Amino acid sequence: MTINEAITQLRALKQTKIDDNVLIGWLSDLDGMIYNEVIFSHVPDKDADGNDVIPPHGPYGAETDPNTVLLVGSPYSDLYAKYLAAQCEHTNGDFGRYTNSMILYNMRLQGFSDWYNRSHMPKQSNCIRI
């Protein structure tokens, strides 16, 4: 999913007047958090030449290409729209809907985290030196 697709998906679900730059900032924060809390603690994927592949994870801003691919892919990518919806509701003071949206977002994030932990080897710093 790209930045533009996440914002388009949000706008299809919710009518909000929040500026795209604010939404991009929230996406930047979210990708940074996912990278730091889930992805960074695991051995990176390798490309065809055996080099580490470090996915782009922000920071994103107004100058960022709207076709930049976000960290989390399908089938978990709807977590971006759920997160943006929750942030919009929080900003608007609609805390009942915010709570519901955060529950949905947290379920998707947990699903992604569980899958990532199952499919990627954690970094190891405990080794025996002789």
Side-chain angles (χ1 to χ4, degrees):
M1 174 170 287
T2 66
I3 291 172
N4 193 41
E5 289 171 340
I7 292 173
T8 300
Q9 191 176 59
L10 168 71
R11 298 225 186 266
L13 297 173
K14 295 194 80 49
Q15 291 184 358
T16 181
K17 294 180 181 177
I18 295 177
D19 186 69
D20 284 357
N21 291 332
V22 173
L23 300 175
I24 291 169
W26 289 338
L27 290 171
S28 180
D29 292 344
L30 179 56
D31 261 7
M33 184 272 303
I34 291 171
Y35 181 80
N36 289 336
E37 294 184 12
V38 179
I39 295 172
F40 180 73
S41 62
H42 292 79
V43 175
D45 292 329
K46 304 285 185 189
D47 64 12
D49 297 326
N51 300 318
D52 290 348
V53 175
I54 306 298
H57 53 279
Y60 313 131
E63 71 288 345
T64 304
D65 179 6
N67 293 316
T68 299
V69 176
L70 298 169
L71 279 177
V72 178
S74 181
Y76 304 102
S77 59
D78 63 331
L79 70 85
Y80 290 108
K82 291 179 182 359
Y83 180 78
L84 290 176
Q87 294 306 315
C88 290
E89 290 153 353
H90 184 270
T91 300
N92 293 332
D94 191 349
F95 298 113
R97 288 182 189 220
Y98 165 76
T99 301
N100 291 338
S101 293
M102 282 305 291
I103 289 169
L104 294 172
Y105 157 74
N106 282 322
M107 288 173 39
R108 295 309 280 165
L109 179 61
Q110 187 64 53
F112 170 75
S113 297
D114 291 347
W115 168 81
Y116 200 88
N117 287 327
R118 284 191 308 270
S119 60
H120 292 78
M121 180 66 77
K123 289 180 180 175
Q124 300 288 323
S125 61
N126 55 346
C127 58
I128 298 174
R129 297 182 195 261
I130 299 177

